[in-house]
Amino acid sequence: MLVRIVKMSFEPSKIEEFLANFETVKEKIRNFEGCQFLELYRDRNSTNIFFTYSYWDSENDLNNYRHSELFKSVWAKTKPLFNGKPEAWSVDKLAILE
């Protein structure tokens, strides 16, 4: 399993537009083949910074999503709303405590 973390910083006036779009696409992303989990987080202090956190069965599944028409349409609507360069990490989960 691969964990994908993406950090996005938005123009404050564009946050509601981002959230509305995320609301319409979140189920499609979550139900994309290989995606097992999807969450959206918002920084408590810098409220224009958001993170997506997702689990993928494999790097191939993530890459299939990143090259899909769904991703292209999501990215086309999201990219113009940024006020900084997004950052992304693909990581392996080493430990979990519940």
Side-chain angles (χ1 to χ4, degrees):
M1 175 179 297
L2 176 136
V3 178
R4 182 73 166 182
I5 303 165
V6 179
K7 177 184 178 186
M8 301 167 287
S9 179
F10 292 96
E11 197 61 49
S13 64
K14 304 293 185 179
I15 291 171
E16 290 308 315
E17 186 176 346
F18 163 71
L19 290 172
N21 186 53
F22 186 82
E23 186 65 28
T24 66
V25 299
K26 66 184 181 183
E27 293 294 329
K28 294 175 187 173
I29 297 168
R30 171 55 188 88
N31 291 315
F32 197 88
E33 185 176 346
C35 183
Q36 299 301 321
F37 180 84
L38 174 65
E39 287 186 328
L40 177 66
Y41 302 110
R42 186 177 200 170
D43 188 281
R44 288 181 141 200
N45 298 309
S46 299
T47 57
N48 66 312
I49 296 176
F50 291 80
F51 299 84
T52 56
Y53 185 78
S54 56
Y55 293 172
W56 296 86
D57 288 335
S58 70
E59 188 168 358
N60 189 54
D61 289 318
L62 173 61
N63 286 334
N64 286 340
Y65 168 67
R66 292 178 64 220
H67 294 101
S68 71
E69 290 305 313
L70 174 59
F71 178 82
K72 290 175 188 174
S73 71
V74 170
W75 190 249
K77 291 180 181 177
T78 305
K79 187 176 179 183
L81 309 177
F82 293 143
N83 71 354
K85 186 177 178 181
E87 297 178 67
W89 299 269
S90 292
V91 300
D92 294 317
K93 187 185 299 191
L94 299 180
I96 184 168
L97 300 133
E98 292 187 21

